[in-house]
Amino acid sequence: MNKITLSFLAAFAALPAFADVEYKLSIHEPAHHLGDVKVTFPKTAQAHLDVHLPDWRTGRYEILDLANGIRFFDAKSENGENLQWKKIDKNTWRVHLNEPTEVNISYQVYANQLGMRSRHIDDSHAFIDASGFFMFSDSFKQEPVTVDLDVPKEWRSVSGMNFADDKHSFKADNYDILLDSPIETGINDLYKFEVDGRKYELVIWGEGNYDVGLMLSDLKKLVKTGSLIWHDYPYERYVFMVHATSGARGATEHLNSTIIQRHRDSFAKRDDYIGFIATAAHEFIHTWNVKNYRPAGLVPYDYIAPNYSDLLWLSEGSTSYLENYLLLSAGITTNEEFYKDLNKTISRHLKTPGREVQSAAETSFDKWINAGGDHGRNFSTNIYSEGSLVSLALDIDLLDKSEGKVSYRDVHSELYKQFKLPKSFNSQDVQNILKQISGRDYSNWWKDNVESPISIDFDALLAIVGLEYTRPDSSKAVAGLDVMAKSNGELLILNHVARESSAWQGGLTAGDKLVALDGRQVRKSLKETLALFEPEQEVTASFIRRHQLMTTKVKLTSDFDKPKKVKAVKAPTERQAKLYKAWTGVEHPNAIYTNPQ
């Protein structure tokens, strides 16, 4: 046999075999949040095999250091012989191989991160996001996987993945699908329904004041709305997972499922329920926006390092914006509820001084390091609120210039058509789509509103679609201080001082304990104390810093006792009414078409 043939055979032998990667999770000590994992990697002739646990999970753009819960790592050959291994970084284990063999990995997982939606085990359930449980090797990421669960016999297991051999086992085509298909197993309630030939499941863990009948009714309406934006549905089966808990809140989108967490008593009131169904709408939209088209930098996912993009505002903020369109169009929410949510977004934006500092593109790229708190509010924005308002401004501009024929929904429709995974898109691609659908060049608009901090004249913008942003006629001028504070017994601790405000210029800062204004003690209510003064009055603020009593002069601001609100104009023009319907999918509440423009 010649040297070339030998070299070829050696190289071929070093390639990974085509076989399933097998995962098994055993839960025998659920009260202590512990699980035991075994992983079998197919036979390989590599000199070593590197196995990793992801450093973050999809849907949360933040390094989570998930490997901090791993203990008792061990590696054996297919014959049960110990294999030498060494941990080479915080989430990578290198297993050395002396001869071709299967590699059997075992380790213990501490799973007590319910709020991160990465891993949680207790005596009633386990929430299994693969990123927090299951290690992978780059050599076998594209191989089929199976997951077997050894859990209490009374538990029920549910996932967006297909079942394998029994009711506690699942299979997926590769690791990426496994990572985007969480499993809820435990004591839960399961409801199944079908809409337009597609199957849906609602699984609820935890007792709460939810109305299952209402949830099912509205979810049936919601899932029909995908066709309002996109030309097809990328799934045949979809799972809504709900945690009714005592603390954790939030949600995460996945490939054909979502996990939604809310306090167990935060379902019954109308505002609370809208919070739930809006979250469901948000994650449902992600089935297309992110799970089927997403920006360059996130394709393919790198589970070890940050995945940078200047378009996360489009991935998340646009989703927040479109969720309200789907809810209103479906008849789940009312016009007034639509305005109320829009009002919250605008108010949050105007109360965030960072809106003048950081653009939507910048906050997208910095999502991995952006922090909240006083400095964050003063010098940063976030991908949700800024992205939502960029989407609003762009949507109304498209509608206005096209007489209602083109909208922002068309942008997302084209992104799905032109850049479905494994393709990806960048900022220029989005601008090209804008030009394709509108016939206009949006490069200058993009520079002014995406790459620069956005500045919106809400009065002018909302007037185009027959809304107004006004303060009630009964509003009165009152003194303000441009700070946020929390009560601490007899004192108020400042947790935010608006950048460049009079309080800022007077030297007050977050962490100061405000004692009095002009000698009048400030107790639990700053608002009540400010009512004793006139707008723009100069006062002496007494405060404690570093356990010392200090004073400073501060000029109070001029504020109002009632905030501005979004509402429908009483007599919209015919054009306003037409654009309103093109924008929301429903009639303007005051449309009478008697005042043409």
Side-chain angles (χ1 to χ4, degrees):
M1 191 176 294
N2 60 41
K3 292 183 178 179
I4 295 177
T5 302
L6 287 172
S7 298
F8 173 81
L9 291 176
F12 181 81
L15 292 175
F18 292 96
D20 289 4
V21 177
E22 299 173 358
Y23 295 93
K24 182 173 182 178
L25 172 62
S26 300
I27 299 177
H28 298 142
E29 298 181 273
H32 299 293
H33 316 293
L34 296 174
D36 295 308
V37 176
K38 292 182 179 179
V39 189
T40 298
F41 292 103
K43 192 168 187 175
T44 179
Q46 298 171 215
H48 65 262
L49 187 72
D50 286 349
V51 294
H52 320 269
L53 194 72
D55 227 4
W56 64 287
R57 62 158 179 76
T58 64
R60 182 165 182 149
Y61 307 103
E62 176 185 353
I63 296 298
L64 299 177
D65 290 330
L66 295 167
N68 59 11
I70 303 299
R71 295 293 185 271
F72 305 118
F73 182 93
D74 192 23
K76 294 184 183 298
S77 71
E78 61 189 75
N79 297 322
E81 298 171 347
N82 290 328
L83 297 174
Q84 290 187 338
W85 61 268
K86 183 177 182 179
K87 193 173 184 181
I88 61 174
D89 62 37
K90 63 179 180 177
N91 60 331
T92 303
W93 290 257
R94 175 165 291 171
V95 180
H96 296 279
L97 310 175
N98 296 323
E99 59 184 10
T101 182
E102 286 184 351
V103 179
N104 296 294
I105 304 297
S106 63
Y107 50 90
Q108 185 189 79
V109 175
Y110 176 66
N112 194 22
Q113 295 180 334
L114 182 63
M116 288 187 181
R117 294 177 294 286
S118 57
R119 58 184 182 218
H120 188 252
I121 297 172
D122 68 14
D123 57 357
S124 68
H125 93 133
F127 177 71
I128 304 163
D129 186 300
S131 61
F133 284 87
F134 300 140
M135 295 184 185
F136 71 95
S137 169
D138 288 324
S139 300
F140 299 106
K141 274 181 64 178
Q142 298 309 312
E143 300 305 308
V145 302
T146 60
V147 178
D148 289 312
L149 304 179
D150 180 8
V151 296
K153 62 181 180 179
E154 67 272 20
W155 284 18
R156 174 175 26 227
S157 299
V158 182
S159 176
M161 288 184 288
N162 292 325
F163 284 107
D165 295 331
D166 60 48
K167 65 180 183 178
H168 295 301
S169 66
F170 300 92
K171 59 184 178 181
D173 288 345
N174 54 54
Y175 184 80
D176 292 301
I177 294 175
L178 170 64
L179 208 72
D180 233 341
S181 304
I183 301 168
E184 172 62 33
T185 181
I187 305 299
N188 54 57
D189 295 316
L190 179 65
Y191 307 89
K192 298 182 179 182
F193 59 97
E194 188 170 319
V195 176
D196 295 334
R198 286 174 287 275
K199 296 179 180 180
Y200 297 89
E201 297 175 17
L202 169 64
V203 57
I204 305 175
W205 166 68
E207 297 180 355
N209 61 358
Y210 44 80
D211 180 338
V212 172
L214 179 61
M215 293 165 74
L216 290 171
S217 175
D218 283 346
L219 288 175
K220 290 175 183 178
K221 295 175 185 177
L222 172 64
V223 298
K224 292 177 71 71
T225 61
S227 58
L228 296 177
I229 303 176
W230 301 281
H231 66 280
D232 66 24
Y233 282 68
Y235 61 84
E236 293 299 323
R237 175 172 161 267
Y238 190 95
V239 180
F240 292 94
M241 300 178 183
V242 176
H243 288 169
T245 74
S246 297
R249 61 182 300 273
T252 302
E253 72 278 4
H254 289 285
L255 194 61
N256 64 333
S257 63
T258 181
I259 171 63
I260 301 171
Q261 296 177 328
R262 293 184 67 81
H263 190 281
R264 64 183 71 254
D265 297 325
S266 295
F267 292 88
K269 293 180 181 178
R270 181 61 183 173
D271 282 353
D272 288 339
Y273 177 73
I274 290 176
F276 160 74
I277 199 65
T279 302
H282 183 102
E283 308 309 330
F284 177 63
I285 290 169
H286 272 317
T287 310
W288 291 268
N289 184 20
V290 172
K291 293 309 169 187
N292 274 278
Y293 58 90
R294 60 177 178 259
L298 280 74
V299 181
Y301 283 136
D302 180 346
Y303 305 121
I304 303 301
N307 293 212
Y308 296 107
S309 170
D310 61 359
L311 286 170
L312 287 181
W313 67 266
L314 186 149
S315 298
E316 292 292 347
S318 293
T319 301
S320 295
Y321 174 69
L322 291 170
E323 72 190 45
N324 294 306
Y325 164 75
L326 293 191
L327 293 176
L328 183 60
S329 296
I332 296 172
T333 56
T334 65
N335 281 292
E336 290 300 324
E337 289 166 339
F338 177 75
Y339 306 153
K340 187 174 182 179
D341 191 83
L342 178 57
N343 192 76
K344 286 181 181 178
T345 303
I346 294 173
S347 178
R348 188 183 304 118
H349 169 77
L350 294 176
K351 291 180 180 178
T352 303
R355 74 183 188 279
E356 301 171 339
V357 178
Q358 196 173 54
S359 70
E362 289 169 332
T363 194
S364 294
F365 195 86
D366 284 350
K367 176 64 180 74
W368 295 86
I369 59 172
N370 264 353
D374 179 59
H375 183 266
R377 183 182 290 270
N378 276 325
F379 293 94
S380 304
T381 56
N382 72 75
I383 56 178
Y384 295 92
S385 60
E386 293 307 289
S388 182
L389 290 176
V390 169
S391 303
L392 168 70
L394 184 51
D395 197 8
I396 293 180
D397 187 77
L398 287 165
L399 290 161
D400 184 32
K401 300 297 193 304
S402 69
E403 294 298 324
K405 296 178 182 177
V406 177
S407 77
Y408 188 51
R409 300 187 297 278
D410 296 314
V411 175
H412 283 267
S413 176
E414 289 300 319
L415 284 170
Y416 182 48
K417 289 177 182 176
Q418 298 182 32
F419 295 99
K420 190 172 183 178
L421 292 174
K423 294 181 179 178
S424 63
F425 61 90
N426 57 32
S427 295
Q428 188 57 55
D429 293 322
V430 182
Q431 294 175 64
N432 291 343
I433 287 176
L434 285 167
K435 189 170 185 178
Q436 291 169 18
I437 64 176
S438 72
R440 296 187 296 119
D441 185 350
Y442 268 83
S443 57
N444 288 333
W445 191 98
W446 196 269
K447 290 176 182 177
D448 292 340
N449 295 282
V450 176
E451 295 173 351
S452 302
I454 192 171
S455 179
I456 301 176
D457 182 341
F458 289 105
D459 295 320
L461 182 70
L462 296 177
I464 295 171
V465 290
L467 299 181
E468 56 185 356
Y469 186 54
T470 59
R471 206 178 301 278
D473 294 336
S474 59
S475 298
K476 297 179 182 179
V478 295
L481 193 55
D482 288 336
V483 301
M484 297 175 67
K486 61 180 179 180
S487 175
N488 181 28
E490 294 293 302
L491 302 173
L492 282 182
I493 300 177
L494 302 184
N495 52 25
H496 171 63
V497 178
R499 180 176 53 84
E500 303 302 335
S501 66
S502 60
W504 172 287
Q505 294 173 350
L508 292 175
T509 191
D512 288 344
K513 299 175 182 178
L514 194 60
V515 178
L517 296 178
D518 267 1
R520 297 177 183 270
Q521 184 178 0
V522 177
R523 299 199 179 190
K524 293 184 178 180
S525 174
L526 178 59
K527 182 178 179 181
E528 291 179 7
T529 304
L530 288 171
L532 302 173
F533 301 94
E534 296 297 323
E536 301 187 19
Q537 180 178 343
E538 187 175 77
V539 298
T540 298
S542 302
F543 61 97
I544 295 173
R545 181 186 295 170
R546 295 188 298 273
H547 301 286
Q548 293 180 315
L549 182 63
M550 302 180 179
T551 62
T552 186
K553 292 289 186 181
V554 176
K555 184 178 181 180
L556 300 178
T557 60
S558 183
D559 203 348
F560 290 89
D561 62 343
K562 296 179 181 179
K564 277 188 167 185
K565 290 186 177 180
V566 175
K567 64 179 183 178
V569 299
K570 293 181 179 179
T573 66
E574 185 174 342
R575 186 175 190 272
Q576 285 176 317
K578 181 182 74 172
L579 293 181
Y580 183 91
K581 185 172 184 179
W583 177 45
T584 63
V586 300
E587 297 286 352
H588 190 287
N590 300 325
I592 52 177
Y593 301 103
T594 60
N595 186 22
Q597 215 178 42

